[in-house]
Structures are given as structure tokens and as C-alpha cells.
Amino acid sequence: MNVEFTEEYLEQAFEYYNELIFDGKLPVPWLRWSHSKTRLGVMKCKGMSKLGRTRIYDFTISISDYYELTKEQLEDVLIHEMIHLSILSAGIEDTSPHGIVFRGMMDKINRTFSRDITISARKQKLQPRVAQQSKDYLVLAFETKDGRYYLSSVNPSAVEKLISTLERVGELVHYTCYHSQDEFFQTLPRVRSLRGKPVSKEVYTTMIAKMKLLK
């Protein structure tokens, strides 16, 4: 079965398997597509230590759209990363990234739900997808008064609502909407709310120079 490589697909798949396998207990991460040739899936997070305890937060799951995979194969990759998310968000210590706890959960999920989740995929047997035509992205660029810069790929249906929200946000220096076909935005979700990818001033300035101002 073919897969639509959209943020909506990832969100729906995550929600479905969170309920089916993890009893709806997983925190909702930032879900995104990547174009990685080396890793089919990645789960990243941030950590902060305080008073001898470490708090894990800001989870991101990235799934590669580079290879030809079936829907079942892609969702096995997603569930693999969801196991990592389950372990880390619960503060469980494993013997290694794919240690005893991970392998135990993986084996149980494979048996219970007839999945084929593995520790690593043999990518040499996979074929790259046919090159896709360039996509158009509606980009919101904004800068805050404390010197932070953000780029956001916006769902076109939500742009008017977002602009209305921006007009009431006092922390912004300015904001502008652009058109772009740059692959930089391929990995960003098309958002409907005010959020974006933090970037350096140099990246912000470079990207703006390459984009077409939205009229």
C-alpha cells in the first residue's frame, strides 16, 4: 500500500499506534520527515539536569522518505522509534540504545501485533524512491525581541489565522510570509499553530534572501 508523505499521515499513524500499543501514554513528539540515506528513523530529545535528576523533554521523531517502503515497513520504523520514546519518557535505564528493555518491548509488540520491527534495517536491499518534483512551501519567518529567529512551514489553510495571532503577539520584532521550494522546508511539519524551527541569524538571513515574498 502506498503512503502519502504528509505530516498528517505521521500524526495519524502515531496517534493510532500510541493508543493501540502504548495505551495512549506516550508524549506527543515533533513528527517530521527526513531524507536520510543512512537512518530510516531517529528519535531525539533534550535533557536538563537539576539537583541530581535529569528531565528529558522536547522529543522529535524523524522518519526517512528516501527509500521505497511499504506502509507496513514505514510504520514498523515509526513504532521502533516509539519504543525509544516510551523508554526515555518513562525514565527507564536500558543496557544500551537497543538493550534488554528495548528488545523485550520489541519482541512483545511483534508477537502481540504481528509486526516485523527489527533493530536495524538492511538498507542495501532497499531502493530509493523516484525523485519527487519540487514542492511549494508557504513560509513564515519571524524574529523575537530577545534576538531569536524562527522559520516555519505553514499549512496554507491556517495562514490567515496565524497572521491574526501574530498581530497580537508583543514579543515579535517583525514577521513576513514567503514562497519557497527549498528542500530545507521538506523536513518541517506544515503547522497550523504558531511554532517554528529556531535558526541562527545567518541561516535566517540566507533563507530569506532566497525566498519570494508573499504578496
Side-chain angles (χ1 to χ4, degrees):
M1 181 177 178
N2 293 330
V3 173
E4 288 188 36
F5 289 88
T6 63
E7 287 74 28
E8 287 80 5
Y9 164 74
L10 277 184
E11 291 168 359
Q12 291 170 6
F14 178 90
E15 181 179 2
Y16 175 77
Y17 289 112
N18 190 14
E19 292 294 334
L20 179 67
I21 298 175
F22 300 94
D23 297 324
K25 295 179 180 179
L26 298 186
V28 179
W30 184 290
L31 295 160
R32 59 190 285 271
W33 294 105
S34 75
H35 204 52
S36 175
K37 299 179 184 180
T38 58
R39 303 185 72 175
L40 296 184
V42 179
M43 204 292 294
K44 295 182 178 179
C45 60
K46 296 179 181 178
M48 181 176 66
S49 296
K50 187 176 182 180
L51 299 177
R53 301 182 65 182
T54 300
R55 182 172 70 88
I56 306 297
Y57 64 101
D58 200 6
F59 300 98
T60 300
I61 290 179
S62 303
I63 306 296
S64 176
D65 63 4
Y66 182 80
Y67 294 101
E68 283 286 358
L69 297 176
T70 65
K71 179 175 181 290
E72 289 72 23
Q73 288 172 321
L74 264 176
E75 292 180 359
D76 281 343
V77 174
L78 175 62
I79 297 168
H80 175 118
E81 303 309 325
M82 292 172 74
I83 296 174
H84 284 303
L85 175 61
S86 176
I87 293 171
L88 280 172
S89 64
I92 298 171
E93 291 190 12
D94 204 349
T95 55
S96 68
H98 296 109
I100 294 173
V101 177
F102 182 96
R103 290 171 184 265
M105 292 180 66
M106 180 185 72
D107 291 342
K108 182 178 179 181
I109 291 170
N110 283 337
R111 291 194 308 269
T112 305
F113 300 97
S114 300
R115 306 302 308 189
D116 189 26
I117 305 162
T118 58
I119 295 300
S120 62
R122 296 177 179 176
K123 293 179 286 298
Q124 64 269 26
K125 294 185 177 181
L126 301 176
Q127 296 297 318
R129 294 174 62 223
V130 176
Q132 303 294 305
Q133 292 183 341
S134 297
K135 293 183 179 180
D136 290 313
Y137 300 98
L138 179 58
V139 178
L140 173 64
F142 56 98
E143 177 187 354
T144 62
K145 290 181 178 179
D146 58 359
R148 290 180 291 176
Y149 299 84
Y150 296 87
L151 295 172
S152 179
S153 177
V154 178
N155 190 304
S157 65
V159 65
E160 291 186 6
K161 176 184 176 182
L162 273 179
I163 290 176
S164 176
T165 300
L166 286 166
E167 291 173 349
R168 300 192 298 270
V169 176
E171 292 80 14
L172 300 184
V173 175
H174 70 262
Y175 62 88
T176 314
C177 289
Y178 298 90
H179 283 300
S180 177
Q181 291 187 334
D182 197 293
E183 291 185 357
F184 175 90
F185 299 102
Q186 181 183 21
T187 62
L188 301 186
R190 295 196 176 187
V191 302
R192 293 184 174 86
S193 58
L194 183 54
R195 57 191 175 119
K197 178 180 177 62
V199 296
S200 67
K201 182 178 180 179
E202 291 73 20
V203 170
Y204 185 85
T205 303
T206 300
M207 294 304 299
I208 284 178
K210 297 192 295 183
M211 295 189 289
K212 183 179 180 181
L213 188 66
L214 178 65
K215 297 181 179 180

